[in-house]
Amino acid sequence: MPVGMDVKGEVLQGIEELEKMHTTETSPLSALELFTRSRHALAYSSKAFFNPGMVGQLYFPAEHKYAIYMLFAPASMGLIVTLVREVKPFLSRKQEKKVE
């Protein structure tokens, strides 16, 4: 599954924000700074996850679409045949009434 460069950049930025929270050994971060960095990391990860190029690949890969269609084909054939069997007598009765 190919991942776009924009998605890769967003993921890396989110990871960088998380790493910045833990790599400040000289001066500890305040609670507000920790919250801000975690909020930014969450925003980057959400952007990457809900990127339009990724959402389609995550939920509807081409192989899964074909598999679903193949599941519905046998079931739909039975419905179509039954529909044709029911419509034929209806149409023949309708034409008989026109003739009379």
Side-chain angles (χ1 to χ4, degrees):
M1 176 169 85
V3 176
M5 293 304 290
D6 55 339
V7 175
K8 180 182 175 183
E10 290 167 352
V11 169
L12 291 176
Q13 286 176 331
I15 291 172
E16 284 178 19
E17 288 292 330
L18 292 174
E19 287 176 347
K20 287 177 186 177
M21 291 171 59
H22 297 290
T23 57
T24 55
E25 293 124 9
T26 56
S27 62
L29 296 175
S30 69
L32 181 61
E33 290 173 334
L34 288 172
F35 176 73
T36 304
R37 291 194 191 276
S38 66
R39 188 181 66 204
H40 289 173
L42 178 64
Y44 286 128
S45 66
S46 292
K47 282 182 188 177
F49 184 77
F50 292 110
N51 186 302
M54 294 298 293
V55 172
Q57 291 180 354
L58 289 173
Y59 295 112
F60 303 112
E63 296 86 16
H64 292 175
K65 288 180 189 175
Y66 299 135
I68 296 298
Y69 295 147
M70 294 309 293
L71 288 175
F72 286 124
S76 63
M77 288 306 294
L79 292 173
I80 292 170
V81 169
T82 303
L83 181 68
V84 168
R85 285 183 186 169
E86 293 297 321
V87 170
K88 276 185 179 180
F90 175 76
L91 292 176
S92 65
R93 279 182 280 175
K94 191 174 180 181
Q95 286 182 355
E96 288 175 5
K97 286 182 181 179
K98 279 187 178 180
V99 173
E100 293 173 0

